[in-house]
Amino acid sequence: MKTELLDGKKLAQDMQLQMKERVNKLKEKGKIPGLTVILVGENKASQTYVRNKERQAKKIGIHSTIIRLPDTTTEEEVINEVEKLNENPAIHGILVQLPLPKQMDEQKVLRSIRYEKDVDGFHPMNMGNFLLGNQATLPCTPYGIMTLLKANGVELEGKRALVIGRSNIVGKPMALMLMNANATVTIAHSRTENLKELAQNADILISAIGSGHFVTADFLKSAAVVVDVGMNRDEHGKLIGDVDTEGAMGIASKITPVPGGVGPMTITMLLEQTIKKVEDELR
Ligand code: GUN
């Protein structure tokens, strides 16, 4: 079987071209979308993500700023920064990069964001509305994956989907989105027994466990669609996914590469939701 790469980078570029037009239209009406990312601490992966988010945002004309705070920052200080942004009419999107340092209650910080400005979809109001099927800002990674699957004509209705990972950011919302698309969904995690057997029965396999090359060729059903959310470093410091992509070649029908698969889509949905907030304001 020929395995097709699900090219997130290309789709992201195409979508961002259209977004640039939307930003230009907003600018003609005197509105510049504003996005601020708060980054606390020195986490290397977070620094890279945040830099990429800023670069992509600027490319399409979004006014993007980063507030960098040291590891020693207190929860109150972060919440103070958030509250200033809540009150700033030039800022439409606020994103607190996760993970936060251990001394902080992540949920408390996320709750301090005005939910109308939450572009990550992590605020309980957005999470709750999403769960209930109401209008909501969505978590960007699963939203990006759904967009990538749809753009590539992947059928989900009636299919068996396995999500490996149960985080609030990816696993849980991913499972809900797949269920809403009428897939039959199983969620697996580190305590799951017979995980390989579940994988072997999955038409769609989404891996978000953060363990390099955990999913090997023998996990895959023939012609499965494989989505790799992993961003891991191997012993040489090379970026690798959760899936052994090379091993999956010839077995999977479609697979996302790492890098260039899910990552660019996450950023694109963040930009999409930032622009949408400004468009909604003008309605
Ligand atoms: N950490 C890893 N992924 C994300 C994300 O999509 N948003 C935020 N805020 N933090 C993250």
Side-chain angles (χ1 to χ4, degrees), residues 49 53 95-99 120 122 140-141 169 266:
Y49 293 150
K53 284 171 186 171
L95 183 153
V96 176
Q97 186 66 27
L98 304 179
D120 255 332
F122 296 166
C140 298
T141 297
I169 296 182
T266 297

Side-chain angles (χ1 to χ4, degrees), residues 12 14-26 60 62 267-273 275 279:
D14 292 349
M15 288 180 69
Q16 287 179 26
L17 271 182
Q18 292 178 6
M19 287 179 191
K20 196 169 175 177
E21 295 296 312
R22 285 161 64 194
V23 173
N24 284 339
K25 284 214 177 80
L26 290 169
I60 65 164
I62 291 178
I267 297 182
T268 303
M269 303 333 282
L270 168 70
L271 305 178
E272 158 69 30
Q273 298 198 113
I275 297 169
E279 289 171 343

